[in-house]
């Protein structure tokens, strides 16, 4: 998945619980309207419904709901921009100027992208973005 859509999906959900939400929603809907004008109104309604879920989940301390919505919007944005480089650039602009600042207003960490690569020959390589628990195989 493109790093822009990953970061934008994260920032979008983070921005849902902020005072800037109406402006963020309108900007996302405007982006959506370009390739899919027939879907824009439904997207606006859905975003507002999901905002209610995010605010309620935060009130309950339910991080799982928010994580599920982040995954959902990463996928939706990925499907929206596809291979369209112009639309991806517009999403990057939206991320830099609306989504990111609004998400940080809510106290969210800035969305970051980490790329890891490994080439292993005859050994073990472990790469992780979080905790790793590894038990090496016992010697024969």
């Amino acid at each position: 998945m493109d790093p822009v859509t990953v970061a934008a999906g994260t920032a979008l959900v983070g921005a849902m619980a902020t005072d800037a939400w109406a402006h963020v929603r309108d900007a996302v809907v405007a982006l959506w309207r370009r390739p899919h004008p027939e879907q824009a109104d439904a997207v606006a309604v859905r975003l507002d419904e999901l905002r209610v879920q995010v605010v309620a989940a935060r009130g309950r301390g339910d991080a799982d709901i928010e994580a599920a919505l982040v995954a959902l919007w990463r996928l939706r944005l990925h499907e929206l921009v596809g291979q369209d480089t112009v639309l991806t650039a517009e999403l990057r602009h939206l991320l830099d100027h609306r989504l990111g600042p609004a998400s940080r207003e809510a106290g969210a960490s800035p969305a970051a992208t980490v790329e890891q690569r490994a080439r292993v020959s005859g050994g073990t390589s472990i790469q992780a973005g979080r905790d790793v628990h590894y038990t090496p195989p016992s010697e024969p």
Side-chain angles (χ1 to χ4, degrees):
M1 191 174 289
D2 187 300
V4 173
T5 59
V6 170
T10 302
L12 174 61
V13 174
M16 287 181 173
T18 69
D19 292 337
W21 173 243
H23 296 294
V24 169
R25 182 202 56 231
D26 292 347
V28 172
V29 171
L31 178 70
W32 210 279
R33 193 176 306 283
R34 285 181 185 85
H36 302 292
E38 74 286 355
Q39 297 175 4
D41 292 337
V43 168
V45 169
R46 187 67 181 136
L47 284 168
D48 282 334
E49 292 170 351
L50 295 175
R51 179 181 193 262
V52 171
Q53 291 179 10
V54 167
V55 170
R58 285 187 180 180
R60 292 188 311 270
D62 186 349
D64 292 339
I65 293 292
E66 194 164 344
L69 292 173
V70 166
L72 170 69
W73 279 95
R74 285 175 175 175
L75 180 60
R76 300 259 345 243
L77 292 170
H78 173 75
E79 291 170 347
L80 175 69
V81 300
Q83 299 298 316
D84 187 330
T85 57
V86 172
L87 208 52
T88 300
E90 291 178 27
L91 181 59
R92 166 55 76 187
H93 185 269
L94 180 63
L95 174 63
D96 292 344
H97 297 282
R98 294 283 181 145
L99 297 174
S103 180
R104 285 188 295 279
E105 173 189 314
S109 300
T113 302
V114 175
E115 184 174 324
Q116 298 177 325
R117 296 175 191 232
R119 182 172 294 170
V120 179
S121 177
T124 301
S125 173
I126 299 174
Q127 296 179 308
R130 294 236 3 185
D131 300 343
V132 175
H133 303 280
Y134 173 71
T135 305
S138 57
E139 295 292 324

